[in-house]
Amino acid sequence: MQLVHRVTDLRAALAGERDVGFVPTMGNLHEGHLSLLRLARNSGGPAVASIFVNRLQFAPNEDFDRYPRTLERDCELLQEAGCDLVFAPDESELYPEPQEFKVHPPPELADLFEGHFRPGFFTGVCTVVLKLFNVVQPAAAVFGKKDYQQLTIVRHMVRQMALPIEIVAGETVRAADGLALSSRNTYLKPTERDEAATLSRELQKLATAVHDGGHDMQALADAALASLSARGWQPDYVAIRRRSDLREAAAGGPLVALAAARLGSTRLIDSLEF
Ligand code: PAF
């Protein structure tokens, strides 16, 4: 496995390669990322991962500075998972000058849920993802379903910009008690770890309620919000939406439940298709 830090070295390493499979990450990798990398290996060409903590998608009050940077360990894990090339640029390489051209996703998709609580977040995500796509030029790129709104927005961007990239969705990898694996789980205090699985249980309860005939999506989501609050969480949102565009939905179609909530000082997000 090769580790490169510069765009020119990445391009040289990939010269002549076709069918590149790509997983963009911010590092501090766990089994969820590695499952995405294994999907990227199905593309038929080299499997490439990027590791870059993207300042553009963090608000000034967020955890950019304390976001764990664990490059050595990440590279060991990627090598074991069959990665061929890691691109780990520093900020001056990916943003050698202030990034003034940005991708602004449409408000109907990007100003709700995560975008409502983290204004500008998806502009930061789309801008770096498009830039990484331009640098890596993958045939396929893999995004996890845990970050469902991100996956949806990237799919829409690729379609509307006619990028020749297949977006592959990776299933959420969960701990035995259901907690979705996330780099931010490392912020949880030992006393919070058991409670953290409640978020996925609430999503599971929503899916069961709809399967059992519940059709008032707002009432179901409100009950989940109240239940989380009663257990000491500070929920940002819980919602049931149409999978394709996250619009309000009736029971019957392909749906997804999405949630974000703070437990102590840790903000967790999760989603569940049903
Ligand atoms: O999901 C993430 O880790 C990030 O949002 C991504 C896609 C790597 C862009 O910085």
Side-chain angles (χ1 to χ4, degrees):
M1 186 185 80
Q2 233 183 311
L3 168 63
V4 297
H5 299 282
R6 305 189 65 104
V7 172
T8 46
D9 294 336
L10 178 85
R11 291 204 163 122
L14 291 179
E17 295 286 1
R18 300 179 46 181
D19 301 327
V20 172
F22 177 47
V23 183
T25 82
M26 296 205 301
N28 195 24
L29 304 184
H30 50 69
E31 185 49 38
H33 297 106
L34 302 181
S35 70
L36 304 183
L37 194 277
R38 290 185 200 106
L39 286 176
R41 290 177 61 192
N42 295 336
S43 69
V48 177
S50 64
I51 297 177
F52 180 67
V53 185
N54 174 36
R55 186 187 292 275
L56 287 190
Q57 68 192 72
F58 288 79
N61 61 333
E62 292 184 339
D63 55 344
F64 176 78
D65 288 328
R66 69 173 181 133
Y67 200 87
R69 281 133 171 112
T70 53
L71 182 63
E72 209 175 310
R73 174 87 186 117
D74 291 346
C75 286
E76 287 167 11
L77 292 171
L78 286 168
Q79 178 149 26
E80 282 164 28
C83 183
D84 296 299
L85 180 64
V86 180
F87 176 49
D90 64 21
E91 277 197 292
S92 62
E93 181 67 11
L94 212 54
Y95 298 131
E97 54 189 83
Q99 184 68 33
E100 286 159 352
F101 284 81
K102 293 185 180 156
V103 180
H104 293 283
E108 307 78 62
L109 266 181
D111 286 3
L112 63 166
F113 304 144
E114 285 305 290
H116 177 76
F117 289 93
R118 306 179 68 188
F121 172 67
F122 287 115
T123 294
V125 169
C126 287
T127 303
V128 79
V129 167
L130 182 63
K131 196 155 187 175
L132 290 167
F133 283 174
N134 286 335
V135 171
V136 177
Q137 303 204 346
V142 192
F143 290 80
K145 289 187 185 177
K146 180 177 77 67
D147 300 299
Y148 207 88
Q149 190 177 9
Q150 168 172 281
L151 166 67
T152 307
I153 289 173
V154 169
R155 273 184 171 142
H156 283 238
M157 174 176 80
V158 163
R159 196 187 65 236
Q160 287 212 347
M161 296 298 191
L163 303 179
I165 301 171
E166 180 196 357
I167 299 301
V168 178
E171 295 301 329
T172 303
V173 178
R174 298 182 180 279
D177 63 358
L179 174 66
L181 299 196
S182 162
S183 303
R184 289 189 168 99
N185 290 354
T186 53
Y187 299 156
L188 289 166
K189 298 199 179 98
T191 49
E192 295 166 338
R193 172 57 192 82
D194 285 348
E195 178 59 24
T198 301
L199 193 62
S200 69
R201 283 196 286 271
E202 286 298 335
L203 296 183
Q204 196 59 60
K205 272 163 54 185
L206 290 177
T208 305
V210 173
H211 278 140
D212 290 350
H215 52 263
D216 186 341
M217 306 296 165
Q218 189 60 52
L220 292 171
D222 287 348
L225 278 171
S227 160
L228 286 167
S229 299
R231 296 179 70 97
W233 293 68
Q234 293 159 276
D236 281 347
Y237 59 85
V238 178
I240 301 171
R241 291 295 171 103
R242 197 157 78 174
R243 279 188 214 171
S244 58
D245 54 11
L246 306 185
R247 301 228 167 143
E248 288 182 12
L255 299 175
V256 58
L258 310 109
R262 209 172 283 278
L263 182 60
S265 60
T266 308
R267 186 172 183 276
L268 298 177
I269 81 171
D270 202 352
S271 71
L272 185 70
E273 288 180 333
F274 59 95

